[in-house]
Amino acid sequence: MRAFKLFIFLILNLQLVYSKSTEELLSLLEAGDFKNVEKILDEIKDENKKTFMNSIYYLYSGDYEKAYEYISKTSSESISQKDLFFFYYIPYIYQLFKEGYKKYETENFIIYLKGKDEILKDLVLENFTKIFSTYNEKFKYYPEDKIRIEIYSTKEEFCNASTLPEEIVKKTGVVGICKFNRIMILSPENLPYGYRWLDTLAHEYIHFLLNRITKFRCPLYLHEGTARYFDTLYRSTYPLCFSVGNLKELLKAKRNNELIPFEKFKGSLVYLDTQKQIELAFVELASFVDYLINNYGEEKFIDVINKYSNFNDEKMLYRKIFNREYQEIISDWLESIERKNELIEKYPGAMMDVKILSLENEKELLTLDIYQYVELGDKFLEKKQYKAALYQYRKAQNQQPYNPFVMTKLAKVLLLLKDFKNAEEILKECINVNPNFAGGYELIIQLYYETSDYFKALEYYRELLQINPFNYKIRKIIAEIYSDLGKLKEALYEYKNISLLTPQDKSIISIIDRINRYLEIKYQPK
């Protein structure tokens, strides 16, 4: 077992390279062209090689047991050194899913969850159904096979299964990938503030569709730009990827000549140096797609996507569809970025989308001009000197009015002072400018609970579930709201999830028992 882990560690810290014949097979499998793969397998004369290729075929088919069966029968002696990875990866993935992951299946997709992540089941079932239908209709592509979704409960499992090195995941904050003909994401429980995990599912499903539609030929810049532009359109009529903080960094990069030329996007965005670079790349590429759609229409844009499977000359393709030279399009797009300045200047202090943070680097989002005020405010808050804390946080807000950490700290003190009106105003502004920051939603739910505005609390709770569904304190508030409203079935559902998150809390078990007894009496046949 120790040797196995060492090999996985070594192989995952290298970008995987396969033999030419395996690479060709993998391209077909990533494109979902299983019929052609089956023909290729039938024509292989070497039985050992055929057995080996069958193991890869079943891995991509999602039948890990069959893949393991075939790889176990394969002799590694006649297999290329470059392909030895599969001799370790397939047994690993087979054993991982044999131990603890539960399967939930619908007509169109299969979900795998483990442990506490089972609280995500209904959210995935509801939202991925919407994701599935939205993008199938938009791109006019309807997969025949079921989509496999794997939500990994730990970073280690996600890294091993995705073949992304741990240092890359830690450095860049990547939380999802479409690979091996399946969608893999990291459970939001692994991140202190969660992340837009349902949007990530949508993002990776778009990658899945683009692989199929373009026969695995779509260039990386368009692949990522398309996925990022469209990944919120299952829940919104317009793209939500252009938060003020993101646009601010895009304009800054453009003016400093720091945008990455499209031809330099190779392999994967995860191999950029930092999370900030990745987020900047996403907004850069999504803004290009946004420019194309706004100027030429979504129909023509999707026509370009569909024609990538048959076109080798990208610039000719652009000329054919958009009736303009590629370089002219690039120049116009760059000019369009400057027009974002008016919006950016309205919201000083707005941050880039906060996808992954640790308690250690929270202060990194506080610039030197406000750091001292926030630190002093925290000390007063700890001593319950609320008005003194408020005074210091106000000083910080004067410098950066829309910094999400400053806004939520300020709102927290206002809640303690029972100044609900001003707290509500700040939290609404925080959510509007920093829509992916969980802290704003958590506090406004608490505010509406304390002011008995239950329906507003439930509205913001639905949004929070898309970012951080593991906050059991907020779930407890929601359970109490449902109880107060007389919606005991909904309250019971929340309490059961709380029990899954905090199994050591025996009082929750007692509440569940009481509600169950009440419902049994109420609905028993007369």
Side-chain angles (χ1 to χ4, degrees):
M1 178 61 74
R2 188 171 295 174
F4 163 74
K5 287 187 176 180
L6 177 62
F7 185 86
I8 288 290
F9 172 80
L10 292 172
I11 203 73
L12 296 186
N13 279 274
L14 299 170
Q15 288 196 44
L16 294 175
V17 179
Y18 307 109
S19 65
K20 187 177 179 181
S21 60
T22 303
E23 194 70 55
E24 290 169 354
L25 185 79
L26 296 183
S27 294
L28 290 171
L29 288 169
E30 291 286 5
D33 194 351
F34 286 90
K35 289 181 181 177
N36 268 326
V37 171
E38 288 164 7
K39 288 179 184 177
I40 291 170
L41 292 174
D42 285 340
E43 292 170 2
I44 296 174
K45 303 301 180 188
D46 184 321
E47 285 302 320
N48 192 61
K49 185 178 180 181
K50 188 171 187 174
T51 303
F52 172 67
M53 292 296 192
N54 266 297
S55 71
I56 299 175
Y57 170 83
Y58 283 111
L59 170 68
Y60 273 78
S61 301
D63 190 339
Y64 296 161
E65 185 174 0
K66 203 89 170 179
Y68 177 68
E69 180 186 323
Y70 273 89
I71 202 71
S72 299
K73 294 176 182 176
T74 306
S75 169
S76 61
E77 293 179 4
S78 61
I79 301 300
S80 164
Q81 288 290 316
K82 293 180 179 180
D83 294 337
L84 285 177
F85 161 77
F86 289 104
F87 283 85
Y88 295 86
Y89 182 77
I90 290 173
Y92 171 81
I93 206 75
Y94 163 68
Q95 198 62 38
L96 181 64
F97 278 84
K98 187 180 177 183
E99 299 173 353
Y101 276 86
K102 289 186 179 179
K103 174 181 175 182
Y104 302 94
E105 192 165 0
T106 74
E107 183 183 353
N108 298 309
F109 52 92
I110 307 168
I111 315 160
Y112 287 86
L113 299 163
K114 183 168 76 171
K116 293 179 182 179
D117 291 336
E118 288 181 41
I119 69 167
L120 305 177
K121 174 177 68 85
D122 293 330
L123 289 166
V124 179
L125 291 172
E126 176 188 349
N127 286 278
F128 199 80
T129 299
K130 195 185 302 181
I131 288 167
F132 186 82
S133 59
T134 298
Y135 299 116
N136 291 351
E137 180 61 31
K138 195 167 284 291
F139 290 97
K140 298 295 185 285
Y141 184 89
Y142 304 88
E144 294 179 4
D145 47 330
K146 291 188 179 184
I147 313 304
R148 185 179 176 109
I149 301 166
E150 298 170 355
I151 300 180
Y152 289 89
S153 61
T154 69
K155 287 183 181 178
E156 181 184 8
E157 290 179 356
F158 175 69
C159 291
N160 289 345
S162 66
T163 74
L164 293 172
E166 282 190 46
E167 63 268 23
I168 292 289
V169 170
K170 184 177 181 181
K171 181 174 67 173
T172 62
V174 62
V175 289
I177 193 169
C178 177
K179 193 172 184 179
F180 300 124
N181 194 45
R182 64 187 192 263
I183 293 169
M184 297 176 271
I185 72 166
L186 179 65
S187 167
E189 189 188 18
N190 287 272
L191 311 182
Y193 297 93
Y195 72 97
R196 286 277 184 184
W197 62 282
L198 286 168
D199 289 358
T200 298
L201 280 178
H203 184 95
E204 300 307 332
Y205 183 59
I206 294 165
H207 281 311
F208 178 92
L209 291 177
L210 292 179
N211 284 342
R212 300 265 175 127
I213 293 166
T214 68
K215 305 297 184 189
F216 208 51
R217 293 178 185 173
C218 187
L220 180 64
Y221 81 88
L222 201 59
H223 228 301
E224 293 293 355
T226 303
R228 188 68 188 95
Y229 175 87
F230 283 96
D231 66 17
T232 58
L233 294 185
Y234 72 96
R235 63 183 177 92
S236 170
T237 55
Y238 58 92
L240 302 175
C241 55
F242 302 115
S243 66
V244 177
N246 284 350
L247 292 174
K248 181 177 73 173
E249 292 299 326
L250 176 65
L251 181 59
K252 180 181 173 183
K254 189 261 180 184
R255 290 176 174 176
N256 293 339
N257 200 27
E258 292 175 350
L259 294 178
I260 304 172
F262 292 168
E263 59 271 16
K264 291 192 176 180
F265 285 107
K266 304 290 182 184
S268 172
L269 295 189
V270 301
Y271 293 105
L272 293 174
D273 290 337
T274 64
Q275 183 188 355
K276 184 177 178 181
Q277 281 189 356
I278 289 178
E279 289 192 10
L280 176 59
F282 275 132
V283 71
E284 174 187 339
L285 301 177
S287 74
F288 179 64
V289 173
D290 182 58
Y291 165 82
L292 292 177
I293 289 174
N294 283 336
N295 284 274
Y296 304 103
E298 187 178 285
E299 188 175 335
K300 281 193 175 182
F301 175 78
I302 291 177
D303 192 22
V304 167
I305 295 294
N306 281 304
K307 284 186 166 57
Y308 260 101
S309 61
N310 297 316
F311 259 80
N312 293 319
D313 188 333
E314 184 175 53
K315 292 179 181 179
M316 185 184 293
L317 176 57
Y318 274 72
R319 196 182 307 125
K320 178 181 175 64
I321 302 298
F322 301 129
N323 199 30
R324 290 195 73 191
E325 293 299 325
Y326 176 79
Q327 200 53 53
E328 290 177 356
I329 290 172
I330 296 295
S331 297
D332 282 357
W333 160 63
L334 290 171
E335 284 183 22
S336 73
I337 295 173
E338 287 290 340
R339 294 194 285 273
K340 312 293 184 186
N341 191 48
E342 185 179 345
L343 174 66
I344 293 164
E345 287 183 342
K346 285 175 62 178
Y347 301 103
M351 294 287 171
M352 291 186 82
D353 286 344
V354 182
K355 287 187 177 179
I356 183 169
L357 289 170
S358 69
L359 296 176
E360 288 76 24
N361 71 14
E362 173 184 329
K363 295 288 177 72
E364 291 177 16
L365 294 182
L366 305 175
T367 54
L368 289 175
D369 57 337
I370 66 171
Y371 186 92
Q372 59 182 330
Y373 301 131
V374 172
E375 191 169 39
L376 194 53
D378 288 348
K379 288 178 181 177
F380 283 126
L381 179 61
E382 190 177 341
K383 294 176 182 178
K384 297 186 178 180
Q385 297 177 11
Y386 300 142
K387 289 186 178 179
L390 186 67
Y391 179 72
Q392 296 301 326
Y393 293 147
R394 289 280 191 203
K395 282 185 176 181
Q397 192 193 31
N398 287 337
Q399 299 293 323
Q400 292 189 16
Y402 295 94
N403 182 300
F405 283 99
V406 174
M407 295 178 89
T408 49
K409 285 176 182 292
L410 191 56
K412 184 176 181 180
V413 176
L414 290 169
L415 281 174
L416 290 167
L417 292 169
K418 305 300 181 184
D419 186 350
F420 298 121
K421 183 179 178 181
N422 282 317
E424 180 184 28
E425 184 180 328
I426 288 170
L427 289 170
K428 282 186 172 180
E429 284 184 335
C430 181
I431 289 167
N432 180 51
V433 181
N434 305 282
N436 299 319
F437 180 59
Y441 297 97
E442 291 167 350
L443 280 174
I444 206 166
I445 290 167
Q446 183 181 330
L447 182 153
Y448 287 133
Y449 173 63
E450 291 187 27
T451 57
S452 300
D453 200 339
Y454 291 166
F455 292 104
K456 283 184 181 177
L458 292 172
E459 180 184 335
Y460 282 100
Y461 177 60
R462 284 188 284 273
E463 194 74 21
L464 177 64
L465 289 174
Q466 298 193 19
I467 306 171
N468 182 19
F470 288 91
N471 188 326
Y472 71 91
K473 291 180 181 178
I474 295 296
R475 281 190 175 270
K476 198 168 185 180
I477 286 174
I478 297 300
E480 290 172 6
I481 285 174
Y482 278 132
S483 294
D484 288 350
L485 291 172
K487 297 185 175 184
L488 292 184
K489 288 183 179 179
E490 290 85 348
L492 181 62
Y493 177 80
E494 291 298 335
Y495 280 122
K496 284 180 177 178
N497 282 327
I498 294 165
S499 178
L500 191 62
L501 294 174
T502 58
Q504 72 280 2
D505 189 345
K506 304 303 179 187
S507 65
I508 300 299
I509 301 298
S510 298
I511 294 172
I512 290 171
D513 288 342
R514 286 201 303 272
I515 295 175
N516 274 326
R517 285 198 300 272
Y518 176 83
L519 291 174
E520 283 173 10
I521 294 168
K522 183 176 181 180
Y523 292 106
Q524 70 180 357
K526 293 182 180 179

